[in-house]
């Protein structure tokens, strides 16, 4: 569940799309022809010097460390900058772990779509059918697909509800004080459904963690086992992602890792040790750039989600579906990924994630033929000292633009 509604959704990566989507809800959704983007602008070679400059100078006033991996047929590059921690100022260790935040949603969506391919879930069937009694009786029917592409209309779970205004004024202090508090999915949903639905399901798009909290509950209901186990058995083990985990209540980063920091009123606070059970299936992943690169390449190649369902991850809602609260902006979230249009006709697909102290991004271009190895992928981790602010956008977009244009 997202801490604030402004949590960096606009930084998401993306990639060249193909094909059409399945079932009724996606028949008029927007996709990009697979070969279209690369035909309009040739992909430039990887520029190591420019990438090195994009992450140079750390630590500085805005961040402490960065890790970047670029891969694909046009060349590859990997580099790090900055320090593991501000106390020892040791360099970033090889394959350092970090909190990947909402990149978790890509893994969650992939498991749900695998269950769809197996005939165990139906994207057009309702949450009320699979999880009777979870949502209030006066809520409109919400489909599984609407959860995954954030068109459900479900309200956010506002953790600050009932707390004194002075306690929640800066958006960080009260969360930091409660960083070891345990949250169950049931508690998160119960908090959210105290409010009415934001809009008629399917008519708008609002990126909220509550959608993926419910998706995680669906995974558990259908499989009869834990969400964490399903991700491990279906994705982590088959792909050999040995440095990726879903820690649930464990607040520590084990093994080599980068420390996270938040600057507040001139004071630097170490936020490395922090329990994220409230993010759960929406944002509790810990990983490395190497593991996320392997996952991204496998996903785009079609080795994680079967082809028919994979198209849903490269399909956004039709143009008449607008962003909630901003009718001028078209929906840009698919089932697990985000579409980002760059200059020259390049369309990227991917996902970002933000936790205090940590910003992560994965993404790439789809193969021009619609299947096979991605021409280019990007994975980055950036240790920002103000990860929830808009000030991080220029550096993040500089990394993205340098990698793809």
């Amino acid at each position: 569940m997202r801490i604030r509604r402004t949590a960096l959704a606009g930084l998401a990566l993306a990639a060249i799309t193909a094909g059409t989507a399945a079932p009724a809800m996606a028949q008029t959704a927007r996709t990009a022809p697979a070969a279209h983007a690369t035909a309009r602008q040739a992909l430039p070679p990887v520029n190591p010097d420019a990438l090195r400059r994009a992450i140079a100078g750390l630590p500085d006033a805005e961040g402490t460390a960065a890790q970047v991996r670029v891969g694909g047929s046009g060349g590859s590059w990997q580099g790090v900058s900055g320090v593991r921690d501000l106390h020892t100022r040791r360099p970033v260790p090889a394959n350092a772990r970090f909190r990947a935040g909402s990149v978790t949603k890509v893994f969650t969506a992939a498991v749900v779509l695998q269950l769809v391919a197996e005939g165990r879930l139906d994207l057009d069937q309702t949450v009320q059918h699979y999880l009777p009694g979870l949502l209030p009786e006066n809520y409109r029917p919400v489909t599984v697909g609407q959860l995954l592409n954030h068109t459900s209309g479900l309200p956010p779970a506002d953790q600050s509800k009932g707390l004194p205004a002075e306690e929640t004024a800066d958006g960080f202090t009260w969360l930091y004080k409660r960083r070891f508090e345990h949250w169950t999915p049931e508690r998160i949903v119960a908090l959210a459904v105290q409010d009415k639905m934001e809009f008629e399901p399917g008519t708008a798009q609002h990126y909220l963690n509550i959608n993926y909290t419910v998706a995680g509950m669906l995974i558990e209901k259908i499989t009869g086992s834990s969400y964490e186990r399903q991700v491990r058995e279906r994705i982590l083990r088959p792909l050999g992602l040995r440095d990726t985990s879903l820690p649930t209540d464990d607040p520590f980063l084990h093994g080599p890792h980068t420390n996270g920091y938040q600057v507040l009123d001139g004071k630097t606070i170490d936020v490395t040790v922090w329990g994220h059970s409230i993010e759960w299936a929406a944002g509790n992943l810990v990983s490395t750039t190497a593991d996320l690169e392997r996952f991204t390449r496998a996903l785009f190649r079609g080795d994680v989600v079967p082809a028919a369902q994979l198209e849903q991850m490269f399909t956004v809602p039709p143009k008449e579906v607008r962003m909630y609260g901003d009718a001028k902006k078209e929906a840009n979230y698919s089932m697990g990924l985000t579409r980002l249009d760059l200059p020259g006709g390049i369309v990227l697909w991917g996902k970002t994630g933000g936790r205090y102290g940590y910003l992560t991004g994965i993404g790439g271009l789809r193969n021009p033929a619609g299947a096979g190895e991605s021409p280019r992928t990007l994975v980055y981790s950036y240790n920002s000292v103000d990860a929830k602010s808009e000030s991080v956008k220029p550096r993040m977009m500089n990394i993205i633009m340098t990698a793809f244009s």
Side-chain angles (χ1 to χ4, degrees):
M1 179 232 80
R2 108 181 268 185
I3 292 174
R4 291 284 186 193
R5 296 189 185 189
T6 58
L8 305 175
L11 293 183
L13 290 178
I16 291 176
T17 66
T20 56
M25 60 171 291
Q27 287 178 357
T28 57
R30 291 178 290 132
T31 62
H36 190 51
T38 51
R40 288 164 61 182
Q41 178 173 340
L43 187 64
V46 171
N47 188 331
D49 290 337
L51 287 164
R52 201 172 291 114
R53 288 193 298 270
I55 61 173
L58 297 174
D60 61 15
E62 296 180 345
T64 61
Q67 304 174 70
V68 173
R69 295 179 75 100
V70 178
S73 56
S76 62
W77 182 84
Q78 55 182 288
V80 301
S81 178
V83 296
R84 169 181 175 165
D85 65 87
L86 293 176
H87 177 64
T88 67
R89 301 185 78 83
R90 289 177 293 176
V92 177
N95 214 23
R97 294 172 175 86
F98 49 82
R99 302 194 187 281
S102 287
V103 170
T104 311
K105 291 181 177 70
V106 190
F107 289 72
T108 303
V111 173
V112 171
L113 291 170
Q114 286 180 8
L115 292 170
V116 171
E118 294 164 13
R120 303 170 71 180
L121 273 175
D122 184 341
L123 290 174
D124 291 329
Q125 185 55 271
T126 66
V127 172
Q128 288 89 337
H129 170 79
Y130 291 117
L131 297 169
L134 180 68
L135 303 180
E137 290 185 2
N138 63 346
Y139 270 30
R140 299 288 294 168
V142 174
T143 68
V144 176
Q146 289 165 348
L147 290 177
L148 294 188
N149 69 9
H150 300 283
T151 61
S152 71
L154 293 178
D158 185 359
Q159 304 150 263
S160 65
K161 190 174 293 184
L163 295 176
E166 60 271 18
E167 215 180 312
T168 62
D170 64 47
F172 169 79
T173 302
W174 64 282
L175 288 168
Y176 182 71
K177 289 179 179 178
R178 292 166 174 80
R179 66 192 183 280
F180 303 128
E181 188 172 347
H182 173 69
W183 284 79
T184 65
E186 291 79 11
R187 180 184 174 191
I188 297 168
V189 173
L191 183 60
V193 299
Q194 293 178 26
D195 297 322
K196 66 180 182 179
M197 299 190 81
E198 291 189 322
F199 50 83
E200 180 77 15
T203 63
Q205 188 173 72
H206 191 185
Y207 178 92
L208 290 171
N209 281 4
I210 188 64
N211 293 305
Y212 278 71
T213 299
V214 177
M217 297 176 77
L218 278 172
I219 290 170
E220 295 199 330
K221 176 65 179 293
I222 296 302
T223 64
S225 67
S226 72
Y227 162 77
E228 292 83 359
R229 179 178 179 179
Q230 289 299 310
V231 173
R232 284 195 303 269
E233 293 186 351
R234 291 171 173 271
I235 299 175
L236 305 189
R237 288 176 183 166
L239 295 181
L241 307 184
R242 297 180 179 85
D243 295 320
T244 300
S245 62
L246 292 157
T248 312
D249 282 326
D250 187 351
F252 296 97
L253 285 178
H254 300 280
H257 62 271
T258 53
N259 282 19
Y261 298 93
Q262 174 69 24
V263 171
L264 182 67
D265 298 329
K267 182 180 179 181
T268 301
I269 302 166
D270 192 320
V271 295
T272 309
V273 181
W274 190 314
H276 286 281
S277 62
I278 193 164
E279 272 78 40
W280 193 49
N284 199 22
L285 194 79
V286 170
S287 193
T288 65
T289 55
D291 271 11
L292 290 181
E293 181 182 57
R294 181 177 293 185
F295 169 73
T296 303
R297 291 179 65 182
L299 181 71
F300 279 61
R301 197 165 54 233
D303 292 345
V304 179
V305 176
Q309 287 71 39
L310 182 60
E311 291 306 321
Q312 299 282 13
M313 301 188 79
F314 297 99
T315 303
V316 296
K319 287 189 175 183
E320 58 266 25
V321 176
R322 300 285 165 154
M323 297 301 290
Y324 179 66
D326 187 357
K328 294 182 180 179
K329 187 176 180 181
E330 294 180 3
N332 64 347
Y333 295 102
S334 66
M335 295 188 187
L337 297 176
T338 312
R339 174 176 172 140
L340 180 64
D341 293 87
L342 294 181
I346 289 182
V347 182
L348 306 178
W349 293 94
K351 189 72 188 72
T352 59
R355 297 273 76 82
Y356 283 111
Y358 300 89
L359 292 171
T360 304
I362 68 171
L365 306 176
R366 277 198 97 182
N367 188 288
E373 198 71 38
S374 170
R376 180 154 303 163
T377 59
L378 166 69
V379 175
Y380 66 79
S381 170
Y382 174 55
N383 293 87
S384 169
V385 297
D386 196 7
K388 298 294 181 179
S389 75
E390 295 295 300
S391 65
V392 299
K393 284 188 176 183
R395 185 184 284 270
M396 297 303 95
M397 287 306 301
N398 185 33
I399 292 172
I400 294 169
M401 294 294 292
T402 303
F404 289 101
S405 64

